[in-house]
Amino acid sequence: RQKTYRTLFCLIHRLEDQTKKLHKDMKKSTEADLAMSKAAVKISVDLLSNPLCEQDQAFLEAMSALDTAMKRMDSFNQEKVRLSPKFDIVLVYLIVEFIFLFLFTSSFVKGKILNMAVKRREQALQDYKRLQSKVEKYEEKDKTGPVMVKLHQAKEELRPVKEDFEAKNKQLLDEMPKFYQSRIDYFQPSFEALIRAQVVYFTEMYKIFNDLTEQIDQAGMTDDQRQKETEAKLSELRSLSIVADD
């Protein structure tokens, strides 16, 4: 049973390590989205301060539209970060709770932290081993009257400690497999929630950039025509002597 306990304990700790890593990666992803949108806002602000905006009304209007779009994106990302801790829609806040809490209805387990239960079990085991060693020491001595009295006292002292350890050990052996198996039931809706949140995010990003495209695109031009026009302008720039290859 000790081997079974250790196996379960190792499985849960491995799950804990994987969960912490996933939590860290998800947090980095959220922070990267926010950093990207802030960088985009800075770019649009820098473009608006370009002297060309004073000389070309069309360029000014395009850059103003870009600035508005980037600020919309940044505002949405900030709102996403602000709301993430409050709603069960972002995986990063769901998974980290799972590893610390038992999720069952048992009065022993409900709301308790796994590590606390493990520590209690380990403390009970140490007490049990200490008293068991004391009993064995008296059993090895000559069976004199005083020794037999002390042996009896040691056994009486050992009995409730042994029962306490066995009870704690049994509870963990009963609950730990359920806890480990429940990871799918818990993670599955969490990942589904993450996907739904991503759908909301990218739908909003599509709206923002679609609105921007409608504002800055030249009407009636296909993507192929835009590409050819851009290449033609780049060719003109490359033909200038100041950018010619040595």
Side-chain angles (χ1 to χ4, degrees):
R1 292 181 69 84
Q2 179 71 3
K3 184 178 180 181
T4 301
Y5 168 80
R6 287 296 173 189
T7 300
L8 289 169
F9 187 78
C10 289
L11 284 173
I12 289 178
H13 266 272
R14 189 182 307 158
L15 177 62
E16 179 182 15
D17 291 340
Q18 293 170 343
T19 302
K20 286 180 178 178
K21 184 177 183 300
L22 186 57
H23 167 253
K24 184 178 179 180
D25 291 342
M26 287 301 303
K27 187 176 180 182
K28 284 183 179 179
S29 175
T30 302
E31 291 172 348
D33 284 341
L34 187 58
M36 179 272 295
S37 63
K38 288 189 177 301
V41 169
K42 187 177 186 306
I43 290 172
S44 66
V45 170
D46 289 344
L47 286 170
L48 273 175
S49 64
N50 191 297
L52 186 58
C53 286
E54 300 176 3
Q55 304 166 14
D56 190 318
Q57 183 62 29
F59 184 77
L60 173 61
E61 291 174 357
M63 293 305 99
S64 296
L66 175 66
D67 184 59
T68 299
M70 296 304 97
K71 287 177 179 176
R72 282 177 62 192
M73 178 175 66
D74 185 52
S75 176
F76 185 81
N77 276 321
Q78 290 188 49
E79 186 70 3
K80 181 181 69 171
V81 172
R82 186 182 71 82
L83 293 178
S84 291
K86 296 182 179 180
F87 298 99
D88 292 340
I89 60 172
V90 180
L91 180 66
V92 62
Y93 293 98
L94 289 171
I95 58 177
V96 75
E97 293 178 4
F98 170 80
I99 198 60
F100 294 114
L101 299 178
F102 279 110
L103 305 175
F104 313 111
T105 57
S106 163
S107 60
F108 169 77
V109 174
K110 188 175 182 180
K112 297 297 182 181
I113 298 176
L114 173 60
N115 287 340
M116 291 177 61
V118 171
K119 286 180 180 178
R120 291 194 191 101
R121 186 259 185 198
E122 290 300 318
Q123 183 59 53
L125 176 61
Q126 294 304 315
D127 293 341
Y128 172 48
K129 286 182 175 180
R130 176 176 56 80
L131 293 174
Q132 179 64 33
S133 176
K134 185 177 179 181
V135 168
E136 291 172 355
K137 182 182 71 173
Y138 286 124
E139 287 178 337
E140 292 172 357
K141 292 185 176 183
D142 294 336
K143 301 300 187 288
T144 63
V147 169
M148 295 302 293
V149 170
K150 290 181 180 180
L151 175 60
H152 176 73
Q153 291 174 340
K155 286 183 177 180
E156 288 299 308
E157 188 179 359
L158 172 64
R159 184 178 296 109
V161 174
K162 179 182 178 181
E163 291 174 353
D164 180 58
F165 165 71
E166 289 178 344
K168 287 182 169 61
N169 192 56
K170 183 178 183 301
Q171 286 173 320
L172 278 175
L173 288 176
D174 288 343
E175 298 290 354
M176 287 171 75
K178 297 176 185 177
F179 175 66
Y180 186 73
Q181 291 300 324
S182 73
R183 68 196 188 284
I184 299 300
D185 294 335
Y186 191 76
F187 283 130
Q188 183 67 27
S190 299
F191 278 107
E192 289 175 359
L194 172 65
I195 292 170
R196 289 194 295 271
Q198 292 289 62
V199 169
V200 172
Y201 175 77
F202 286 107
T203 298
E204 183 64 22
M205 292 302 103
Y206 171 80
K207 290 178 181 177
I208 290 172
F209 284 97
N210 188 59
D211 290 347
L212 176 61
T213 300
E214 291 179 353
Q215 293 179 66
I216 66 175
D217 266 0
Q218 297 181 40
M221 291 187 67
T222 65
D223 289 342
D224 187 55
Q225 289 173 327
R226 291 191 188 92
Q227 183 176 353
K228 288 180 178 179
E229 182 183 54
T230 300
E231 289 176 352
K233 291 179 179 179
L234 288 174
S235 294
E236 290 178 11
L237 289 173
R238 294 191 189 101
S239 67
L240 297 175
S241 60
I242 59 174
V243 295
D245 294 334
D246 293 336

